Amino acid sequence: MTELDPAAVIEAVARDPQLRAFVRGGEIAVMPARQAKRRLLLNEVARAFEPGVHYSERTVSLFLASIYPDYAALRRYLVDEGFLDRKSGEYWRSGGAI
């Protein structure tokens, strides 16, 4: 299974001029209120997930907790916005840029 790398996600978000304001102290500190920016940020997070690989809920939660304090909300955003799909306690990438 592909390892999820929180540092790579934070680095990618911090590099993006539209998103860097949302990163503080090595994590995503604030979720963008505007949907367009939130979707950009979610896309960067989703890119950490390897297409075709299924991840346990625990793995997803631990990874998301390492980049955003409210990992459950972030997980919900990813599913609700179509970046991740879930079934029977497993998550997989279902959208976003490759």
Side-chain angles (χ1 to χ4, degrees), residues 7-88:
V9 172
I10 297 302
E11 184 180 310
V13 172
R15 266 195 323 262
D16 188 318
Q18 296 182 70
L19 300 176
R20 72 172 53 123
F22 302 104
V23 175
R24 286 186 210 101
E27 68 179 15
I28 298 166
V30 179
M31 189 58 57
R34 289 190 162 170
Q35 185 180 18
K37 286 187 180 182
R38 187 171 54 245
R39 287 189 57 82
L40 282 173
L41 188 142
L42 293 173
N43 184 63
E44 289 300 337
V45 174
R47 292 178 67 167
F49 295 88
E50 186 72 30
V53 176
H54 287 230
Y55 300 87
S56 71
E57 184 170 345
R58 176 175 165 71
T59 299
V60 172
S61 295
L62 289 171
F63 167 67
L64 296 178
S66 70
I67 61 173
Y68 186 63
D70 190 353
Y71 69 90
L74 179 54
R75 191 177 60 218
R76 203 167 28 255
Y77 281 130
L78 288 162
V79 171
D80 289 350
E81 293 288 340
F83 290 95
L84 294 182
D85 233 339
R86 71 172 170 224
K87 184 176 182 182
S88 303

